[in-house]
Amino acid sequence: MKFFLDTANLAQIREANELGILDGVTTNPTLMSKEGVKGEAGVMNHYRTICEMVHGDVSAEVFSTDFDEIIKEGKKLAAIHPNIVVKVPIVKDGVKAMKWFTDHGIRTNCTLVFSAGQAILCAKAGAAYVSPFIGRIDDSGWDGVQLVEQIVRIYKVQGFKTQVLAASIRNPNHIIRCAEAGADVCTCPLEPLLGLLKHPLTDIGLAKFAADAKKTE
Ligand code: E4P
């Protein structure tokens, strides 16, 4: 399973990158606005900087929901860097646009996916990635990882090539369960990613080793 960082924060991207296990980045308009990125030129520059920092795919989201506008925005984003993947919402014109992008050699990440039916449409349109939103499903009282399991099963049975990118991750357990479910990629903020490191027995073991190491000095 690949690890993508779900952020537009350059310091966090640098920190995850330094671990050597970062495979890409996903962003969305909310994450970009959190970093104070403004204007078309500002947005383009920010994406270019991220692409230069990370060796892997960087998802850049369109904000239009109309076919012509999605194509216009997506073309501009795709022209920034070869690693840009155009993130498109699962709406009717979005499906049409993803098929257009696929036919024109531009890779897409289908976003705001909350059902298996939506995931089937993404695959039919030739999306490179489908992004089911685990945390937001959990927040509404359902089990987001079950959707990942279902999409992975359907894609396997049908031989769809679209990669399952588990998104909206809230905690380390989400990452572990998505890995178990067979997600191709997990995109998450830095905190749950670093949370995978934590175990109290590791801390206790380290303290004991440090104390015993002193006895050998
Ligand atoms: C994924 O690509 C989305 O940008 C993101 O995971 C949404 O996460 P949130 O539900 O924490 O906003």
Side-chain angles (χ1 to χ4, degrees), residues 151-217:
I151 297 171
V152 167
R153 268 198 309 275
I154 293 171
Y155 280 12
K156 195 171 171 203
V157 168
Q158 295 297 329
F160 289 141
K161 298 282 177 275
T162 301
Q163 293 189 56
V164 181
L165 191 165
S168 183
I169 296 291
R170 301 272 191 266
N171 55 58
N173 199 37
H174 272 158
I175 303 175
I176 296 163
R177 289 187 64 210
C178 286
E180 198 174 16
D184 300 287
V185 189
C186 186
T187 189
C188 56
L190 188 58
E191 204 186 331
L193 184 63
L194 295 180
L196 291 174
L197 279 169
K198 290 182 197 157
H199 197 287
L201 290 179
T202 304
D203 298 338
I204 292 167
L206 272 178
K208 173 143 178 58
F209 285 152
D212 290 344
K214 281 224 164 71
K215 296 177 196 164
T216 68
E217 279 170 6

Short mmCIF file of all heavy atoms in Angstrom, two decimals, residues 151-217:
data_model
loop_
_atom_site.label_atom_id
_atom_site.label_comp_id
_atom_site.label_asym_id
_atom_site.label_seq_id
_atom_site.Cartn_x
_atom_site.Cartn_y
_atom_site.Cartn_z
N ILE A 151 -15.37 -1.92 -2.43
CA ILE A 151 -14.82 -1.43 -3.70
C ILE A 151 -13.67 -2.33 -4.16
O ILE A 151 -13.58 -2.69 -5.34
CB ILE A 151 -14.36 0.05 -3.58
CG1 ILE A 151 -15.55 0.96 -3.25
CG2 ILE A 151 -13.69 0.51 -4.86
CD1 ILE A 151 -15.17 2.41 -2.90
N VAL A 152 -12.80 -2.71 -3.21
CA VAL A 152 -11.67 -3.59 -3.55
C VAL A 152 -12.20 -4.90 -4.15
O VAL A 152 -11.70 -5.39 -5.17
CB VAL A 152 -10.77 -3.86 -2.31
CG1 VAL A 152 -9.80 -5.00 -2.55
CG2 VAL A 152 -10.01 -2.60 -1.91
N ARG A 153 -13.26 -5.46 -3.53
CA ARG A 153 -13.86 -6.72 -4.04
C ARG A 153 -14.40 -6.54 -5.45
O ARG A 153 -14.14 -7.33 -6.34
CB ARG A 153 -15.00 -7.17 -3.12
CG ARG A 153 -14.58 -8.12 -2.01
CD ARG A 153 -15.78 -8.86 -1.41
NE ARG A 153 -16.89 -8.01 -1.02
CZ ARG A 153 -16.99 -7.38 0.16
NH1 ARG A 153 -16.06 -7.52 1.06
NH2 ARG A 153 -18.05 -6.63 0.43
N ILE A 154 -15.18 -5.48 -5.64
CA ILE A 154 -15.81 -5.24 -6.96
C ILE A 154 -14.74 -5.05 -8.04
O ILE A 154 -14.83 -5.64 -9.11
CB ILE A 154 -16.74 -4.00 -6.90
CG1 ILE A 154 -17.95 -4.28 -6.01
CG2 ILE A 154 -17.20 -3.60 -8.30
CD1 ILE A 154 -18.81 -3.06 -5.70
N TYR A 155 -13.72 -4.24 -7.73
CA TYR A 155 -12.68 -3.98 -8.74
C TYR A 155 -11.95 -5.28 -9.10
O TYR A 155 -11.57 -5.47 -10.25
CB TYR A 155 -11.69 -2.93 -8.21
CG TYR A 155 -12.18 -1.49 -8.31
CD1 TYR A 155 -13.51 -1.19 -8.60
CD2 TYR A 155 -11.30 -0.43 -8.13
CE1 TYR A 155 -13.94 0.14 -8.69
CE2 TYR A 155 -11.74 0.90 -8.23
CZ TYR A 155 -13.06 1.16 -8.50
OH TYR A 155 -13.49 2.47 -8.59
N LYS A 156 -11.75 -6.15 -8.09
CA LYS A 156 -11.04 -7.40 -8.33
C LYS A 156 -11.89 -8.30 -9.24
O LYS A 156 -11.42 -8.81 -10.26
CB LYS A 156 -10.75 -8.09 -7.00
CG LYS A 156 -9.74 -9.19 -7.12
CD LYS A 156 -9.30 -9.71 -5.78
CE LYS A 156 -8.44 -10.95 -6.00
NZ LYS A 156 -8.41 -11.82 -4.83
N VAL A 157 -13.16 -8.46 -8.89
CA VAL A 157 -14.07 -9.32 -9.66
C VAL A 157 -14.17 -8.81 -11.10
O VAL A 157 -14.18 -9.59 -12.05
CB VAL A 157 -15.48 -9.33 -8.99
CG1 VAL A 157 -16.51 -9.97 -9.90
CG2 VAL A 157 -15.42 -10.07 -7.67
N GLN A 158 -14.25 -7.49 -11.25
CA GLN A 158 -14.47 -6.90 -12.58
C GLN A 158 -13.17 -6.62 -13.35
O GLN A 158 -13.23 -6.26 -14.52
CB GLN A 158 -15.24 -5.57 -12.43
CG GLN A 158 -16.65 -5.75 -11.89
CD GLN A 158 -17.53 -6.57 -12.83
OE1 GLN A 158 -17.37 -6.55 -14.04
NE2 GLN A 158 -18.48 -7.31 -12.25
N GLY A 159 -12.05 -6.77 -12.67
CA GLY A 159 -10.77 -6.51 -13.34
C GLY A 159 -10.55 -5.03 -13.65
O GLY A 159 -9.82 -4.69 -14.58
N PHE A 160 -11.18 -4.13 -12.86
CA PHE A 160 -10.97 -2.69 -13.06
C PHE A 160 -9.56 -2.31 -12.62
O PHE A 160 -9.05 -2.83 -11.63
CB PHE A 160 -11.98 -1.87 -12.22
CG PHE A 160 -13.40 -1.92 -12.73
CD1 PHE A 160 -14.46 -1.99 -11.83
CD2 PHE A 160 -13.68 -1.87 -14.09
CE1 PHE A 160 -15.78 -2.02 -12.27
CE2 PHE A 160 -15.01 -1.90 -14.54
CZ PHE A 160 -16.05 -1.98 -13.64
N LYS A 161 -8.96 -1.39 -13.36
CA LYS A 161 -7.56 -1.01 -13.07
C LYS A 161 -7.45 0.19 -12.12
O LYS A 161 -6.37 0.53 -11.64
CB LYS A 161 -6.83 -0.65 -14.38
CG LYS A 161 -6.75 -1.82 -15.38
CD LYS A 161 -5.65 -2.82 -14.96
CE LYS A 161 -5.59 -4.02 -15.88
NZ LYS A 161 -6.55 -5.08 -15.51
N THR A 162 -8.55 0.90 -11.89
CA THR A 162 -8.54 2.07 -11.00
C THR A 162 -8.01 1.68 -9.62
O THR A 162 -8.43 0.66 -9.06
CB THR A 162 -9.97 2.63 -10.88
OG1 THR A 162 -10.42 2.97 -12.19
CG2 THR A 162 -10.04 3.86 -9.99
N GLN A 163 -7.09 2.50 -9.08
CA GLN A 163 -6.54 2.18 -7.76
C GLN A 163 -7.42 2.76 -6.64
O GLN A 163 -7.88 3.90 -6.74
CB GLN A 163 -5.14 2.78 -7.63
CG GLN A 163 -4.13 2.12 -8.56
CD GLN A 163 -2.73 2.60 -8.26
OE1 GLN A 163 -2.24 2.51 -7.13
NE2 GLN A 163 -2.07 3.13 -9.26
N VAL A 164 -7.60 1.96 -5.61
CA VAL A 164 -8.44 2.39 -4.48
C VAL A 164 -7.57 3.20 -3.51
O VAL A 164 -6.61 2.69 -2.94
CB VAL A 164 -9.08 1.18 -3.76
CG1 VAL A 164 -9.96 1.65 -2.61
CG2 VAL A 164 -9.88 0.34 -4.75
N LEU A 165 -7.93 4.49 -3.37
CA LEU A 165 -7.16 5.44 -2.55
C LEU A 165 -8.03 5.80 -1.34
O LEU A 165 -8.96 6.61 -1.46
CB LEU A 165 -6.85 6.66 -3.42
CG LEU A 165 -5.86 7.71 -2.95
CD1 LEU A 165 -5.45 8.60 -4.11
CD2 LEU A 165 -6.39 8.57 -1.83
N ALA A 166 -7.75 5.18 -0.22
CA ALA A 166 -8.55 5.43 0.98
C ALA A 166 -8.25 6.84 1.49
O ALA A 166 -7.10 7.17 1.79
CB ALA A 166 -8.24 4.40 2.05
N ALA A 167 -9.29 7.68 1.58
CA ALA A 167 -9.11 9.08 1.97
C ALA A 167 -9.91 9.40 3.23
O ALA A 167 -10.64 8.55 3.73
CB ALA A 167 -9.55 9.98 0.82
N SER A 168 -9.75 10.64 3.69
CA SER A 168 -10.45 11.09 4.90
C SER A 168 -10.13 10.17 6.08
O SER A 168 -11.00 9.69 6.78
CB SER A 168 -11.96 11.14 4.62
OG SER A 168 -12.68 11.62 5.71
N ILE A 169 -8.83 9.98 6.27
CA ILE A 169 -8.33 9.09 7.34
C ILE A 169 -8.22 9.90 8.63
O ILE A 169 -7.70 11.02 8.62
CB ILE A 169 -6.94 8.53 6.94
CG1 ILE A 169 -7.05 7.65 5.69
CG2 ILE A 169 -6.26 7.82 8.10
CD1 ILE A 169 -7.75 6.35 5.86
N ARG A 170 -8.70 9.34 9.72
CA ARG A 170 -8.71 10.08 10.99
C ARG A 170 -7.70 9.55 12.02
O ARG A 170 -7.33 10.26 12.94
CB ARG A 170 -10.10 9.99 11.63
CG ARG A 170 -11.22 10.55 10.78
CD ARG A 170 -11.40 12.03 11.03
NE ARG A 170 -12.62 12.52 10.41
CZ ARG A 170 -12.69 13.07 9.20
NH1 ARG A 170 -11.60 13.18 8.47
NH2 ARG A 170 -13.84 13.48 8.72
N ASN A 171 -7.32 8.26 11.91
CA ASN A 171 -6.48 7.67 12.95
C ASN A 171 -5.66 6.50 12.40
O ASN A 171 -5.95 6.00 11.31
CB ASN A 171 -7.36 7.22 14.14
CG ASN A 171 -8.45 6.27 13.67
OD1 ASN A 171 -8.17 5.23 13.08
ND2 ASN A 171 -9.71 6.62 13.89
N PRO A 172 -4.64 6.04 13.19
CA PRO A 172 -3.79 4.95 12.70
C PRO A 172 -4.57 3.67 12.41
O PRO A 172 -4.22 2.92 11.49
CB PRO A 172 -2.81 4.72 13.87
CG PRO A 172 -2.84 5.97 14.66
CD PRO A 172 -4.18 6.59 14.49
N ASN A 173 -5.63 3.42 13.18
CA ASN A 173 -6.40 2.20 12.96
C ASN A 173 -7.06 2.19 11.58
O ASN A 173 -7.19 1.15 10.94
CB ASN A 173 -7.45 2.03 14.08
CG ASN A 173 -7.93 0.59 14.16
OD1 ASN A 173 -7.15 -0.34 13.96
ND2 ASN A 173 -9.21 0.41 14.41
N HIS A 174 -7.47 3.37 11.12
CA HIS A 174 -8.01 3.47 9.75
C HIS A 174 -6.97 2.97 8.73
O HIS A 174 -7.29 2.26 7.79
CB HIS A 174 -8.35 4.93 9.41
CG HIS A 174 -9.73 5.34 9.82
ND1 HIS A 174 -10.07 6.65 10.01
CD2 HIS A 174 -10.87 4.63 10.03
CE1 HIS A 174 -11.35 6.73 10.33
NE2 HIS A 174 -11.85 5.53 10.36
N ILE A 175 -5.71 3.40 8.94
CA ILE A 175 -4.64 3.03 8.00
C ILE A 175 -4.45 1.52 8.01
O ILE A 175 -4.38 0.88 6.96
CB ILE A 175 -3.31 3.74 8.36
CG1 ILE A 175 -3.51 5.26 8.38
CG2 ILE A 175 -2.20 3.34 7.39
CD1 ILE A 175 -2.28 6.06 8.85
N ILE A 176 -4.41 0.94 9.22
CA ILE A 176 -4.20 -0.50 9.35
C ILE A 176 -5.35 -1.27 8.70
O ILE A 176 -5.14 -2.22 7.93
CB ILE A 176 -4.06 -0.89 10.84
CG1 ILE A 176 -2.81 -0.24 11.44
CG2 ILE A 176 -4.02 -2.40 11.03
CD1 ILE A 176 -2.78 -0.20 12.96
N ARG A 177 -6.58 -0.84 8.97
CA ARG A 177 -7.74 -1.54 8.40
C ARG A 177 -7.81 -1.40 6.88
O ARG A 177 -8.21 -2.32 6.18
CB ARG A 177 -9.04 -1.05 9.06
CG ARG A 177 -9.18 -1.52 10.51
CD ARG A 177 -10.54 -1.17 11.08
NE ARG A 177 -11.61 -1.85 10.39
CZ ARG A 177 -12.85 -1.36 10.25
NH1 ARG A 177 -13.15 -0.18 10.74
NH2 ARG A 177 -13.77 -2.03 9.61
N CYS A 178 -7.40 -0.24 6.38
CA CYS A 178 -7.40 -0.05 4.91
C CYS A 178 -6.33 -0.93 4.26
O CYS A 178 -6.55 -1.47 3.17
CB CYS A 178 -7.18 1.41 4.56
SG CYS A 178 -8.65 2.39 4.89
N ALA A 179 -5.19 -1.09 4.95
CA ALA A 179 -4.13 -1.97 4.42
C ALA A 179 -4.65 -3.40 4.36
O ALA A 179 -4.46 -4.13 3.38
CB ALA A 179 -2.89 -1.87 5.30
N GLU A 180 -5.33 -3.79 5.43
CA GLU A 180 -5.89 -5.15 5.52
C GLU A 180 -6.97 -5.37 4.43
O GLU A 180 -7.08 -6.46 3.88
CB GLU A 180 -6.51 -5.33 6.91
CG GLU A 180 -6.73 -6.77 7.30
CD GLU A 180 -7.20 -6.88 8.76
OE1 GLU A 180 -7.63 -5.86 9.36
OE2 GLU A 180 -7.14 -8.01 9.29
N ALA A 181 -7.70 -4.31 4.14
CA ALA A 181 -8.79 -4.41 3.15
C ALA A 181 -8.26 -4.45 1.72
O ALA A 181 -9.01 -4.73 0.79
CB ALA A 181 -9.75 -3.23 3.31
N GLY A 182 -6.98 -4.14 1.54
CA GLY A 182 -6.40 -4.21 0.19
C GLY A 182 -6.43 -2.89 -0.56
O GLY A 182 -6.34 -2.89 -1.79
N ALA A 183 -6.54 -1.76 0.17
CA ALA A 183 -6.46 -0.45 -0.50
C ALA A 183 -5.09 -0.32 -1.17
O ALA A 183 -4.08 -0.77 -0.63
CB ALA A 183 -6.65 0.67 0.52
N ASP A 184 -5.05 0.26 -2.35
CA ASP A 184 -3.78 0.45 -3.06
C ASP A 184 -2.99 1.60 -2.45
O ASP A 184 -1.76 1.59 -2.45
CB ASP A 184 -4.03 0.77 -4.54
CG ASP A 184 -4.78 -0.35 -5.23
OD1 ASP A 184 -4.15 -1.39 -5.46
OD2 ASP A 184 -5.99 -0.19 -5.50
N VAL A 185 -3.73 2.62 -1.97
CA VAL A 185 -3.12 3.83 -1.42
C VAL A 185 -3.93 4.28 -0.22
O VAL A 185 -5.14 4.08 -0.17
CB VAL A 185 -3.16 5.00 -2.45
CG1 VAL A 185 -2.33 6.19 -1.96
CG2 VAL A 185 -2.71 4.57 -3.83
N CYS A 186 -3.23 4.89 0.74
CA CYS A 186 -3.92 5.49 1.86
C CYS A 186 -3.41 6.93 1.94
O CYS A 186 -2.19 7.15 1.98
CB CYS A 186 -3.52 4.72 3.11
SG CYS A 186 -4.40 5.24 4.54
N THR A 187 -4.31 7.90 1.91
CA THR A 187 -3.86 9.28 2.04
C THR A 187 -4.31 9.82 3.39
O THR A 187 -5.48 9.68 3.75
CB THR A 187 -4.34 10.19 0.89
OG1 THR A 187 -3.66 11.45 1.01
CG2 THR A 187 -5.84 10.42 0.86
N CYS A 188 -3.37 10.37 4.15
CA CYS A 188 -3.74 10.81 5.50
C CYS A 188 -2.91 12.00 5.94
O CYS A 188 -1.84 12.25 5.39
CB CYS A 188 -3.56 9.66 6.48
SG CYS A 188 -1.93 8.99 6.49
N PRO A 189 -3.42 12.72 6.93
CA PRO A 189 -2.61 13.79 7.52
C PRO A 189 -1.38 13.18 8.21
O PRO A 189 -1.32 11.96 8.42
CB PRO A 189 -3.56 14.42 8.55
CG PRO A 189 -4.92 13.96 8.19
CD PRO A 189 -4.75 12.62 7.55
N LEU A 190 -0.42 14.03 8.59
CA LEU A 190 0.82 13.54 9.18
C LEU A 190 0.58 12.82 10.51
O LEU A 190 1.23 11.82 10.82
CB LEU A 190 1.80 14.72 9.36
CG LEU A 190 3.21 14.37 9.79
CD1 LEU A 190 3.89 13.42 8.80
CD2 LEU A 190 4.05 15.64 9.94
N GLU A 191 -0.37 13.34 11.31
CA GLU A 191 -0.56 12.82 12.67
C GLU A 191 -0.90 11.31 12.70
O GLU A 191 -0.22 10.55 13.39
CB GLU A 191 -1.62 13.64 13.39
CG GLU A 191 -1.47 13.56 14.90
CD GLU A 191 -2.60 14.26 15.62
OE1 GLU A 191 -3.18 15.21 15.07
OE2 GLU A 191 -2.90 13.82 16.75
N PRO A 192 -1.93 10.84 11.99
CA PRO A 192 -2.20 9.40 12.01
C PRO A 192 -1.06 8.56 11.43
O PRO A 192 -0.82 7.43 11.87
CB PRO A 192 -3.47 9.23 11.18
CG PRO A 192 -3.79 10.54 10.58
CD PRO A 192 -2.98 11.58 11.27
N LEU A 193 -0.34 9.15 10.48
CA LEU A 193 0.80 8.43 9.89
C LEU A 193 1.87 8.20 10.96
O LEU A 193 2.34 7.08 11.16
CB LEU A 193 1.36 9.24 8.72
CG LEU A 193 2.50 8.61 7.92
CD1 LEU A 193 2.05 7.33 7.25
CD2 LEU A 193 3.00 9.59 6.86
N LEU A 194 2.21 9.26 11.71
CA LEU A 194 3.22 9.13 12.78
C LEU A 194 2.66 8.30 13.94
O LEU A 194 3.41 7.68 14.68
CB LEU A 194 3.67 10.51 13.27
CG LEU A 194 4.41 11.36 12.22
CD1 LEU A 194 4.81 12.71 12.82
CD2 LEU A 194 5.64 10.64 11.69
N GLY A 195 1.32 8.30 14.05
CA GLY A 195 0.67 7.50 15.10
C GLY A 195 0.95 6.01 14.95
O GLY A 195 0.90 5.26 15.93
N LEU A 196 1.28 5.58 13.73
CA LEU A 196 1.59 4.16 13.51
C LEU A 196 2.84 3.74 14.29
O LEU A 196 3.03 2.55 14.57
CB LEU A 196 1.84 3.90 12.01
CG LEU A 196 0.63 3.99 11.08
CD1 LEU A 196 1.08 3.84 9.64
CD2 LEU A 196 -0.42 2.93 11.42
N LEU A 197 3.69 4.73 14.62
CA LEU A 197 4.94 4.43 15.33
C LEU A 197 4.70 4.03 16.79
O LEU A 197 5.50 3.33 17.39
CB LEU A 197 5.82 5.68 15.35
CG LEU A 197 6.64 6.02 14.12
CD1 LEU A 197 7.20 7.44 14.28
CD2 LEU A 197 7.79 5.03 13.97
N LYS A 198 3.59 4.56 17.33
CA LYS A 198 3.44 4.53 18.79
C LYS A 198 3.02 3.18 19.35
O LYS A 198 2.08 2.56 18.85
CB LYS A 198 2.41 5.58 19.21
CG LYS A 198 2.89 7.00 19.05
CD LYS A 198 1.85 7.97 19.54
CE LYS A 198 2.13 9.37 19.03
NZ LYS A 198 0.94 10.19 19.01
N HIS A 199 3.74 2.74 20.39
CA HIS A 199 3.27 1.61 21.21
C HIS A 199 3.90 1.77 22.59
O HIS A 199 5.13 1.96 22.69
CB HIS A 199 3.65 0.27 20.58
CG HIS A 199 2.84 -0.85 21.18
ND1 HIS A 199 3.04 -1.33 22.44
CD2 HIS A 199 1.80 -1.53 20.67
CE1 HIS A 199 2.16 -2.27 22.70
NE2 HIS A 199 1.38 -2.42 21.63
N PRO A 200 3.12 1.66 23.67
CA PRO A 200 3.70 1.86 25.00
C PRO A 200 4.80 0.86 25.32
O PRO A 200 5.77 1.21 26.02
CB PRO A 200 2.49 1.67 25.95
CG PRO A 200 1.38 1.12 25.11
CD PRO A 200 1.67 1.46 23.69
N LEU A 201 4.71 -0.36 24.81
CA LEU A 201 5.75 -1.35 25.11
C LEU A 201 7.07 -0.98 24.44
O LEU A 201 8.14 -1.33 24.94
CB LEU A 201 5.31 -2.76 24.68
CG LEU A 201 4.17 -3.36 25.52
CD1 LEU A 201 3.79 -4.74 24.99
CD2 LEU A 201 4.56 -3.46 27.00
N THR A 202 7.00 -0.28 23.31
CA THR A 202 8.22 0.21 22.67
C THR A 202 8.89 1.24 23.58
O THR A 202 10.10 1.19 23.80
CB THR A 202 7.89 0.85 21.29
OG1 THR A 202 7.19 -0.12 20.51
CG2 THR A 202 9.15 1.27 20.56
N ASP A 203 8.06 2.15 24.14
CA ASP A 203 8.62 3.18 25.03
C ASP A 203 9.24 2.54 26.28
O ASP A 203 10.33 2.91 26.70
CB ASP A 203 7.51 4.16 25.46
CG ASP A 203 6.93 4.89 24.25
OD1 ASP A 203 7.62 4.95 23.22
OD2 ASP A 203 5.79 5.38 24.34
N ILE A 204 8.51 1.58 26.86
CA ILE A 204 9.03 0.90 28.07
C ILE A 204 10.32 0.16 27.74
O ILE A 204 11.32 0.22 28.47
CB ILE A 204 7.96 -0.07 28.64
CG1 ILE A 204 6.77 0.73 29.18
CG2 ILE A 204 8.54 -0.98 29.72
CD1 ILE A 204 5.53 -0.10 29.48
N GLY A 205 10.31 -0.53 26.61
CA GLY A 205 11.50 -1.29 26.18
C GLY A 205 12.69 -0.37 25.96
O GLY A 205 13.81 -0.69 26.37
N LEU A 206 12.44 0.77 25.33
CA LEU A 206 13.53 1.73 25.06
C LEU A 206 14.13 2.25 26.35
O LEU A 206 15.35 2.36 26.49
CB LEU A 206 12.98 2.92 24.26
CG LEU A 206 12.98 2.79 22.74
CD1 LEU A 206 12.37 4.05 22.13
CD2 LEU A 206 14.41 2.58 22.22
N ALA A 207 13.23 2.58 27.33
CA ALA A 207 13.70 3.12 28.61
C ALA A 207 14.58 2.08 29.31
O ALA A 207 15.63 2.41 29.87
CB ALA A 207 12.51 3.50 29.47
N LYS A 208 14.17 0.81 29.23
CA LYS A 208 14.94 -0.24 29.92
C LYS A 208 16.29 -0.44 29.23
O LYS A 208 17.32 -0.56 29.88
CB LYS A 208 14.13 -1.54 29.93
CG LYS A 208 14.89 -2.73 30.47
CD LYS A 208 14.04 -3.68 31.30
CE LYS A 208 14.84 -4.89 31.79
NZ LYS A 208 16.00 -4.50 32.60
N PHE A 209 16.26 -0.47 27.89
CA PHE A 209 17.53 -0.63 27.16
C PHE A 209 18.49 0.52 27.48
O PHE A 209 19.69 0.31 27.66
CB PHE A 209 17.29 -0.71 25.65
CG PHE A 209 16.73 -2.03 25.18
CD1 PHE A 209 15.94 -2.09 24.04
CD2 PHE A 209 16.99 -3.21 25.87
CE1 PHE A 209 15.42 -3.30 23.59
CE2 PHE A 209 16.47 -4.42 25.44
CZ PHE A 209 15.68 -4.48 24.30
N ALA A 210 17.93 1.74 27.56
CA ALA A 210 18.78 2.91 27.84
C ALA A 210 19.40 2.79 29.23
O ALA A 210 20.59 3.04 29.43
CB ALA A 210 17.97 4.19 27.72
N ALA A 211 18.56 2.36 30.21
CA ALA A 211 19.04 2.22 31.59
C ALA A 211 20.11 1.13 31.66
O ALA A 211 21.17 1.30 32.30
CB ALA A 211 17.88 1.89 32.51
N ASP A 212 19.87 0.00 30.98
CA ASP A 212 20.83 -1.11 31.03
C ASP A 212 22.10 -0.78 30.27
O ASP A 212 23.20 -1.25 30.65
CB ASP A 212 20.17 -2.39 30.46
CG ASP A 212 19.09 -2.91 31.41
OD1 ASP A 212 19.08 -2.47 32.58
OD2 ASP A 212 18.26 -3.72 30.98
N ALA A 213 21.96 0.03 29.21
CA ALA A 213 23.15 0.43 28.43
C ALA A 213 24.10 1.22 29.32
O ALA A 213 25.33 1.09 29.19
CB ALA A 213 22.74 1.24 27.21
N LYS A 214 23.51 2.04 30.24
CA LYS A 214 24.35 2.84 31.17
C LYS A 214 25.22 1.93 32.02
O LYS A 214 26.35 2.25 32.35
CB LYS A 214 23.44 3.68 32.07
CG LYS A 214 22.91 4.91 31.41
CD LYS A 214 23.00 6.11 32.38
CE LYS A 214 22.85 7.41 31.65
NZ LYS A 214 21.51 7.67 31.15
N LYS A 215 24.64 0.72 32.41
CA LYS A 215 25.39 -0.21 33.27
C LYS A 215 26.59 -0.79 32.57
O LYS A 215 27.49 -1.35 33.18
CB LYS A 215 24.47 -1.36 33.70
CG LYS A 215 23.28 -0.93 34.55
CD LYS A 215 22.41 -2.15 34.86
CE LYS A 215 21.03 -1.74 35.35
NZ LYS A 215 20.08 -2.83 35.29
N THR A 216 26.58 -0.75 31.23
CA THR A 216 27.71 -1.33 30.49
C THR A 216 28.79 -0.29 30.18
O THR A 216 29.80 -0.64 29.57
CB THR A 216 27.21 -1.93 29.14
OG1 THR A 216 26.77 -0.85 28.30
CG2 THR A 216 26.11 -2.94 29.33
N GLU A 217 28.56 0.97 30.61
CA GLU A 217 29.56 2.02 30.29
C GLU A 217 30.84 1.85 31.08
O GLU A 217 30.81 1.38 32.23
CB GLU A 217 28.95 3.41 30.59
CG GLU A 217 28.05 3.88 29.48
CD GLU A 217 27.25 5.13 29.87
OE1 GLU A 217 27.47 5.70 30.96
OE2 GLU A 217 26.38 5.52 29.07
#
